[in-house]
Amino acid sequence: MLRSTGVLVGLIALAVLPPATWSFASGTYVLGDSIGDGLATTMGFNNLAQIGIHIRGPKALAQVERTPPGSTAYIFLGTNDAEGSLKNIDKSIEDILDAAAQRQLTVIWVGPHCVRKAWDKQASELDEILRNHLTKAKVKYIGTRDAVICSGKFQEPDGVHLTAKGYRYMWAMIDGAGGTPNTAVAGAPQKPADADLTTASLASRPAQPRVDHRLVMEIHVPGAPSDPLVWTRSQN
């Protein structure tokens, strides 16, 4: 322990990390659009995703460049692109895969889900484009257009984004499709044992124990007793 007479020494100790952050290995990141951002935020995963990101354009490539080499990258891209033309989008998909290969990333691409919008037909078409392209490229692709997501029960009023339950359900789909890398830390959400994902995912989850994050500060004052004055603040 550091001691210095007349000097304020602060030692910050995080006694326990929130349980959600244990569900991804440190070398695993979520990239992509607001859907990726929503899932990563809900699950507590390492997050590089942002709103308004498309397959086309430099922003997705910039996210790849910010991902540490050798990492596993879950890429959530396609929902924003489905609102516009899909012509020649294969070239942009390939650009992202090339950039990921240069950084030796393990890519798991999560496709666009159903939306309650007029352009959902294009989202379905893009799902097929991505599935075919990534299969040929031998890259793991996970589609999310299942009956539960498409029912709209997990969607926000905007008809696009998901509720917290929806993102947890989506992660169960990804995990159930073999999307969790072997490097994942124990404590990740497990895929439902029941064959019916709907029932399993809607089941109530046990409450997480409260976590005590404690800030510990030692104050040493000239002439004070040898035992430091310790100030603590709990953040629950």
Side-chain angles (χ1 to χ4, degrees):
M1 181 179 299
L2 296 176
R3 296 182 180 274
S4 178
T5 303
V7 179
L8 178 65
V9 181
L11 297 179
I12 300 176
L14 290 179
V16 183
L17 290 175
T21 63
W22 295 344
S23 55
F24 252 14
S26 59
T28 306
Y29 296 81
V30 173
L31 284 64
D33 55 25
S34 58
I35 303 304
D37 178 57
L39 183 139
T41 300
T42 299
M43 304 303 299
F45 296 159
N46 298 324
N47 187 16
L48 294 175
Q50 299 170 298
I51 64 172
I53 307 299
H54 295 70
I55 295 173
R56 290 190 174 98
K59 292 183 179 180
L61 296 176
Q63 287 184 359
V64 173
E65 289 301 314
R66 291 198 300 271
T67 308
S71 302
T72 295
Y74 284 77
I75 297 179
F76 288 75
L77 284 175
T79 299
N80 291 323
D81 300 87
E83 295 185 66
S85 173
L86 302 180
K87 185 177 181 180
N88 298 325
I89 200 168
D90 290 83
K91 173 62 168 59
S92 297
I93 296 170
E94 197 61 34
D95 288 343
I96 292 172
L97 296 182
D98 287 344
Q102 290 176 14
R103 298 186 70 77
Q104 298 181 320
L105 304 182
T106 298
V107 172
I108 299 171
W109 195 307
V110 181
H113 63 293
C114 296
V115 295
R116 289 184 286 114
K117 297 288 186 179
W119 43 268
D120 183 61
K121 180 179 179 181
Q122 290 203 143
S124 178
E125 293 174 359
L126 182 54
D127 174 65
E128 287 301 314
I129 291 172
L130 285 164
R131 189 182 305 278
N132 293 334
H133 191 112
L134 296 172
T135 297
K136 293 177 183 177
K138 297 182 179 179
V139 171
K140 180 72 175 181
Y141 179 72
I142 299 177
T144 57
R145 296 179 62 85
D146 80 336
V148 175
I149 295 291
C150 291
S151 72
K153 65 172 62 179
F154 286 147
Q155 286 176 336
E156 294 284 5
D158 65 5
V160 176
H161 297 91
L162 303 180
T163 63
K165 283 186 178 180
Y167 288 122
R168 288 195 293 268
Y169 177 83
M170 181 177 282
W171 177 250
M173 290 178 62
I174 295 168
D175 187 34
T180 305
N182 293 330
T183 54
V185 175
Q190 299 298 310
K191 69 179 180 178
D194 194 310
D196 181 2
L197 277 174
T198 304
T199 302
S201 298
L202 293 178
S204 60
R205 293 171 175 264
Q208 294 290 345
R210 293 179 67 85
V211 179
D212 184 15
H213 300 284
R214 183 153 295 183
L215 178 68
V216 181
M217 182 175 291
E218 294 189 357
I219 304 174
H220 300 274
V221 181
S226 57
D227 289 339
L229 175 65
V230 178
W231 174 80
T232 64
R233 179 165 63 89
S234 295
Q235 297 175 316
N236 291 325

